[in-house]
Amino acid sequence: MMNVLVTGGAGYIGSHTVVELINAGYEPIVVDDLSNAKEDVIDRIEIITGKRPVFYKVDCKDKEAMRKVFSDNKIDSVIHFAAYKAVGESVRIPLEYYRNNIDSTLTLMEVMEEFGCKKFVFSSSATVYGPNNPYPYKEDMKAIESSSPYGWTKVMIERILTDYVTAHPDYCAILLRYFNPIGSHESGLLGDDPNGIPNNLMPYISRVAAGQLEKLTIYGDDYPTPDGTCQRDYLHVVDLAIGHLKALEYAENKEGVEAINLGTGNGVSVMELVHAFDKANDMELPYVIGPRRDGDLPAFWADAEKAKTLLGWEATHSVEDMCRSAWKFAKKASEK
């Protein structure tokens, strides 16, 4: 039985990954400071899987607390989600993003080294491809730029991991560059439920649909895209979670560093996503067009062939599936 430390495991992507790990027979140990997550997520994971993961309310930057996690549990591998993640917010408060995202990773890696743990799956981002690469993004493109401090933290952490593997060639680091996860678990018990006003599109749409927010603001309709709104590669969060499971399996017998995209390979515009949500859930969302938002690129999506070849992974859910499941979760949350 493999023990897998999941940092940020009470968060949106982390919690769905913990479910998939348990279902596959792994023993996840969850670390989360609950700065953008809720502790009852652990209860919901138990309801879904019948098994309660070990949970520590710990900040990954706290080295002594992280040492205790490692000494309490023989950790075989790590999936590292814990990070601040809002592009627009990172432009406004860059120091907080650099301090949190980079410090948490360095502390985690130092403690892993102390305890001889050599398997690392990193939650990276398509933002590492920066503003100048053509899309679809391929893993062999230069990933040394970004258009936001959030993205720069991912570029820097990829560099740190790559340098570390060069110095420790028996270490394995998988850099999962994923695109735009949306949707929720089929049970309606897990989903994207950020504290405060959502920064990401789908939870904002869901709260508008639930009447908790008045209307959706679409940031810019004058981009060089077919309908003028930004295009992104939206993938279902459960598909993404399964991608982490596949990456973990791949890393078990590998050494070195490997960057892998997780996306559908299709671009969907913000306006198309809004219309898909309307169609999937038989409603009409109120929206207005606002000014462009700092740090947003007009369009990008993945070349997803490497994930299919190396991991045997590909996305399976449609955009309407994603919208339907997101609303199922949001309805349950709004009924509380």
Side-chain angles (χ1 to χ4, degrees), residues 212-271:
Q212 296 169 345
L213 294 169
E214 181 187 354
K215 59 183 178 294
L216 171 69
T217 300
I218 295 174
Y219 294 105
D221 66 348
D222 58 348
Y223 286 98
T225 60
D227 63 19
T229 64
C230 291
Q231 289 176 301
R232 295 292 182 264
D233 188 335
Y234 296 102
L235 73 157
H236 199 290
V237 66
V238 173
D239 283 334
L240 181 58
I242 292 167
H244 288 78
L245 184 65
K246 297 285 190 183
L248 199 64
E249 293 167 352
Y250 179 79
E252 284 176 20
N253 300 305
K254 296 289 180 182
E255 296 172 345
V257 63
E258 195 79 62
I260 304 172
N261 289 337
L262 293 181
T264 65
N266 299 307
V268 174
S269 76
V270 174
M271 196 65 79

Side-chain angles (χ1 to χ4, degrees), residues 47 186 301 328:
I47 292 168
E186 63 182 4
W301 54 86
K328 182 175 181 180

Side-chain angles (χ1 to χ4, degrees), residues 39-79:
E39 192 165 355
D40 69 352
V41 165
I42 304 301
D43 301 328
R44 297 182 211 172
I45 290 170
E46 184 178 17
I47 292 168
I48 291 167
T49 65
K51 186 176 176 68
R52 188 174 189 83
V54 175
F55 172 68
Y56 293 84
K57 185 185 176 185
V58 162
D59 185 331
C60 285
K61 299 191 296 295
D62 184 340
K63 187 173 277 190
E64 285 308 309
M66 292 300 290
R67 282 183 175 131
K68 184 177 189 316
V69 173
F70 273 78
S71 61
D72 286 354
N73 309 273
K74 185 189 178 300
I75 306 293
D76 299 297
S77 55
V78 172
I79 304 178

Side-chain angles (χ1 to χ4, degrees), residues 5 9 27 50 66 68 76 133 141 164 213 248 253 322 334:
L5 177 66
E27 292 282 347
M66 292 300 290
K68 184 177 189 316
D76 299 297
N133 277 313
M141 291 175 174
Y164 187 81
L213 294 169
L248 199 64
N253 300 305
M322 302 176 211
S334 67

